[in-house]
Amino acid sequence: MTLKRQGKEGERPALPATSWAVLGLLSFGRELSGYDLKKWADASLGFFYWSPSFSQIYSELKRLEKTGFATSRLIVQDTGTRDKRVYRITDAGTDAVRTWAREAPVDPPVLKHGPMLRLWLGHLLEPEQTREVLRQHREFAEAMRGRALTDIESAKDEAAWAYPALTLKWAERHYAAERDLADAMLADIEELEAAERERGTRP
């Protein structure tokens, strides 16, 4: 989506999704360092979209400063540690991300499910290997569900994080469902293998 500048400045450049994600993190009104942004992304965006790498975050911050959507300042450290650069959204940046959130088309989610790709090739695996793929996925899903619950607790006292907290609730339910789907698939495999043994197609 290309946003228009007012007056003689012409058109704003089209921004990639990572730019909007980083600008969105700044839209909660705090001055944040690149480290802060990465930490916040891991605790929110990473549950339902993706968490940009440090190099992506710093690249996008430079882009956002160039477009006038963010500003930065250097904080001199008294302890002798490295000085810290912090970033803040500008009024133009707030207007831009608000317009994007309100008007950008809603893209359907694209599912890339590694465990299901492996299971799709189950005819090439040993029976125990298919179960191990699902057990690992179940363990991952339960760990992510626990992380989401922890982050919900951390976010509940922050009034500005009311809507991110809702996405964390969604994440907790999503990973609970993934865990339960893994259990159901393990039962499906047992049923499939029993049927194959009856037909004599599996030892």
Side-chain angles (χ1 to χ4, degrees):
M1 172 184 173
T2 301
L3 298 172
K4 305 285 187 178
R5 286 190 188 273
Q6 295 180 350
K8 300 180 180 180
E9 295 178 308
E11 294 184 354
R12 289 187 177 122
L15 296 178
T18 310
S19 289
W20 296 118
V22 173
L23 193 61
L25 289 167
L26 290 173
S27 72
F28 291 94
R30 295 187 180 182
E31 271 188 327
L32 298 170
S33 66
Y35 174 81
D36 295 329
L37 286 162
K38 175 60 176 169
K39 183 171 66 175
W40 283 31
D42 288 346
S44 56
L45 297 176
F47 283 104
F48 58 85
Y49 203 64
W50 93 108
S51 183
S53 66
F54 278 110
S55 61
Q56 287 177 307
I57 286 171
Y58 285 113
S59 175
E60 294 305 334
L61 287 169
K62 288 180 182 177
R63 189 201 308 267
L64 293 171
E65 279 200 283
K66 187 175 180 180
T67 58
F69 292 167
T71 59
S72 70
R73 66 186 181 95
L74 198 63
I75 298 177
V76 178
Q77 304 292 315
D78 296 329
T79 58
T81 57
R82 186 177 177 181
D83 294 343
K84 180 170 71 170
R85 183 167 294 278
V86 293
Y87 298 81
R88 181 179 291 277
I89 196 168
T90 63
D91 290 342
T94 300
D95 289 343
V97 73
R98 179 184 289 115
T99 299
W100 180 83
R102 291 177 175 180
E103 299 181 6
V106 178
D107 297 325
V110 177
L111 183 62
K112 291 174 63 178
H113 205 297
M116 287 304 100
L117 181 60
R118 293 282 296 279
L119 201 64
W120 181 65
L121 297 171
H123 61 291
L124 304 177
L125 303 177
E126 296 299 324
E128 184 56 28
Q129 289 177 312
T130 59
R131 285 189 283 271
E132 181 58 24
V133 167
L134 286 167
R135 282 195 289 263
Q136 288 184 23
H137 178 56
R138 187 194 192 285
E139 184 177 328
F140 164 77
E142 180 60 17
M144 290 295 286
R145 188 187 75 84
R147 270 190 54 198
L149 283 174
T150 299
D151 290 341
I152 288 169
E153 284 298 309
S154 300
K156 70 179 184 180
D157 295 328
E158 289 279 352
W161 279 76
Y163 284 95
L166 287 182
T167 65
L168 288 170
K169 286 183 179 180
W170 175 91
E172 190 276 328
R173 294 166 185 152
H174 170 78
Y175 286 108
E178 284 288 318
R179 176 201 61 199
D180 295 343
L181 284 169
D183 286 337
M185 290 296 288
L186 284 165
D188 290 341
I189 286 174
E190 293 294 335
E191 185 178 328
L192 175 63
E193 290 177 352
E196 288 176 336
R197 284 193 294 269
E198 278 190 24
R199 294 194 302 266
T201 56
R202 183 181 288 270

